[in-house]
């Protein structure tokens, strides 16, 4: 709605950074649920199931690709603020496509 696209990109970047940190532990052999229950601050209980599913869905290479896309989108939206909403829309669509193919 009336949320700044750069703020949403920042939230997405933070979320994917957390997923990457947690993915390292999952790749090390810990179950996603155990990883999520040990992180601090602990995610809200209503989000645990969704985050667990995301950790199963996203591989490290896919998360790296997503992080690169978000970094580029943040840069583009800052250089051309008039296109920030378009950049955000394209980036979120690209993230969906990455998730679907990995």
């Amino acid at each position: 709605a009336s949320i700044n696209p750069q703020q949403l990109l920042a939230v997405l970047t933070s979320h994917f950074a957390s997923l990457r940190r947690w993915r390292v532990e999952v790749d090390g052999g810990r179950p996603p649920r155990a990883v999520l229950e040990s992180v601090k601050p602990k995610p809200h209980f209503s989000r645990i199931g969704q985050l667990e599913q995301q950790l199963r869905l996203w591989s490290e290479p896919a998360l790296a690709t997503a992080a690169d896309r978000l970094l580029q989108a943040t840069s583009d939206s800052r250089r051309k603020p008039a296109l920030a909403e378009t950049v955000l829309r394209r980036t979120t669509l690209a993230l969906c496509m990455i998730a679907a193919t990995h």
Side-chain angles (χ1 to χ4, degrees):
S2 63
I3 297 175
N4 182 334
Q6 290 181 1
Q7 287 176 313
L8 287 175
L9 286 168
V11 169
L12 282 169
T13 300
S14 175
H15 179 73
F16 276 86
S18 294
L19 285 176
R20 282 188 88 180
R21 280 193 312 276
W22 302 335
R23 182 78 229 172
V24 170
E25 293 186 50
V26 171
D27 288 346
R30 291 187 67 201
R33 176 71 55 142
V35 170
L36 292 169
E37 292 192 357
S38 70
V39 298
K40 296 199 182 199
K42 190 174 181 178
H44 192 267
F45 73 92
S46 66
R47 295 189 63 223
I48 295 284
Q50 295 168 345
L51 292 170
E52 190 175 5
Q53 181 180 10
Q54 290 172 33
L55 283 172
R56 287 192 173 98
L57 175 70
W58 287 88
S59 65
E60 171 50 33
L63 287 168
T65 301
D68 290 343
R69 287 297 295 250
L70 287 165
L71 182 65
Q72 185 62 50
T74 300
S75 175
D76 292 346
S77 70
R78 288 180 180 163
R79 279 187 282 118
K80 298 179 183 175
L83 297 177
E85 186 174 336
T86 301
V87 169
L88 172 66
R89 288 175 188 264
R90 287 184 179 174
T91 302
T92 53
L93 178 59
L95 294 175
C96 292
M97 292 172 66
I98 293 166
T101 60
H102 284 83

